[in-house]
Amino acid sequence: MSVPAFGVAMRNFTRFPELPDAGALIDYGVRMEELGFESLWVWDHILLGTDPHFPILDSLSLLTAVAARTKTIKIGTGVLVLPLRNPVILAKQLSTIDLISNGRLMLGAAVGWYKREFDAVGIPYERRGKIMDRNLDILKRLWTEDSVSGQWDELDLRKAVMFPKPVQKPHPPILIGGYVDVVLKRAATKGDGWLTYFYTPESYTEAWGKISAYAQEAGRDPADLYSLNQLPIYVGPRETGMPKMLEWLNAEWDLSKGSLSSFDSAIVGTPTECAEQIAAHIATGVKKIVFVPWRYEKEQVDLLAHEVLPLLRK
């Protein structure tokens, strides 16, 4: 079994009264490249929560800043709430980020779940699935065609010419996030793969089996698709680490009802124990594992990079 690429999440949202520090996050991105992580992933919302609420920095602005300060690390959205964004403007933004980064952008995208956010932006929440498909179609066409004409709802493209194109051909990889069957089918047929968060090896295997079947039905080889699982990790004694991890996850994370996401997916233990737990994920065939270090503490990131990952690369 080949070793997947190892990425890391960045903390662009916090729980109020703590606020995300833009300068420190850009420095963190530079440091993750120095530590040898393959990719860096940001979270995305416009608004999140009321009481408590979660201050969040714009995902695309932050990735642009990191792209300008780094050379090799891939940068990704995990995940962009695609229906909230005007697809024509977004196509321009994302192609520009791919150019600034010289082809390092990965687009993780999903339909979203926070109705208050949709209402504030003026996007009909009940139509978000259809809007997602529409936006994907427009993005791909603007990125790959010299001229685009078509009417999508209120969007009237008449010989719309968008250059320069992204560096990556045909376009930056699009990974679809979500868990219901219609989303898994979208990932298998309209995306370049799937990303999820907090899935145990068993849950991942179950969902990937569905995606593989949908891909084969559509005449696609599942082996050509990207797959990504975001996993929380705490490196340290399990008896003290597990309570700390669960306290943090319960304070700052929501699990979608009906999703297979679970806090049971948390990787906790000594470097050897963590490596053994991660090996169970590698055995599923997942192509990318993105770690969410406990509280994003520097010590935790360093332990992961220097003590855990070398055991898996041997």
Side-chain angles (χ1 to χ4, degrees), residues 14 24 148 248:
T14 54
V148 179
W248 180 53

Side-chain angles (χ1 to χ4, degrees), residues 63-265:
L63 286 184
T64 303
V66 171
R69 290 270 309 275
T70 53
K71 290 281 189 284
T72 57
I73 195 167
K74 291 187 168 73
I75 50 174
T77 54
V79 290
L80 193 75
V81 185
L82 196 65
L84 289 178
R85 311 260 178 167
N86 177 297
V88 181
I89 296 171
L90 184 64
K92 174 60 69 182
Q93 288 177 299
L94 294 175
S95 60
T96 301
I97 295 172
D98 201 49
L99 287 156
I100 290 169
S101 68
N102 194 27
R104 290 184 279 139
L105 177 66
M106 301 192 73
L107 173 62
V111 296
W113 54 270
Y114 188 45
K115 185 173 185 298
R116 192 187 300 268
E117 185 176 41
F118 280 75
D119 295 345
V121 177
I123 302 294
Y125 180 78
E126 295 74 19
R127 292 193 60 238
R128 67 194 188 283
K130 285 187 169 57
I131 293 170
M132 172 95 175
D133 287 333
R134 175 200 79 180
N135 288 4
L136 284 171
D137 187 29
I138 293 171
L139 285 175
K140 289 195 271 195
R141 289 193 60 183
L142 286 170
W143 285 338
T144 58
E145 297 178 21
D146 289 348
S147 175
V148 179
S149 295
Q151 180 85 37
W152 291 265
D153 303 323
E154 73 282 6
L155 305 173
D156 183 13
L157 279 67
R158 297 191 306 279
K159 295 184 180 176
V161 177
M162 186 174 285
F163 280 80
K165 302 298 186 193
V167 173
Q168 298 178 84
K169 303 301 179 209
H171 51 71
I174 301 170
L175 281 65
I176 306 295
Y179 55 89
V180 297
D181 285 357
V182 67
V183 170
L184 301 182
K185 188 170 188 177
R186 183 182 287 129
T189 58
K190 295 182 178 174
D192 300 305
W194 177 60
L195 81 172
T196 190
Y197 73 106
F198 297 8
Y199 266 45
T200 64
E202 297 75 20
S203 298
Y204 172 86
T205 300
E206 179 183 330
W208 188 252
K210 292 182 180 180
I211 290 168
S212 297
Y214 288 133
Q216 287 166 339
E217 279 173 26
R220 301 181 81 184
D221 184 350
D224 293 337
L225 297 175
Y226 288 91
S227 54
L228 185 155
N229 193 1
Q230 295 164 310
L231 296 171
I233 183 165
Y234 177 91
V235 187
R238 211 176 148 77
E239 58 275 12
T240 52
M242 189 56 90
K244 287 158 85 168
M245 175 60 90
L246 290 175
E247 180 194 19
W248 180 53
L249 293 176
N250 280 300
E252 294 197 13
W253 302 89
D254 253 347
L255 299 181
S256 306
K257 293 189 183 83
S259 155
L260 297 177
S261 296
S262 164
F263 293 157
D264 292 340
S265 65

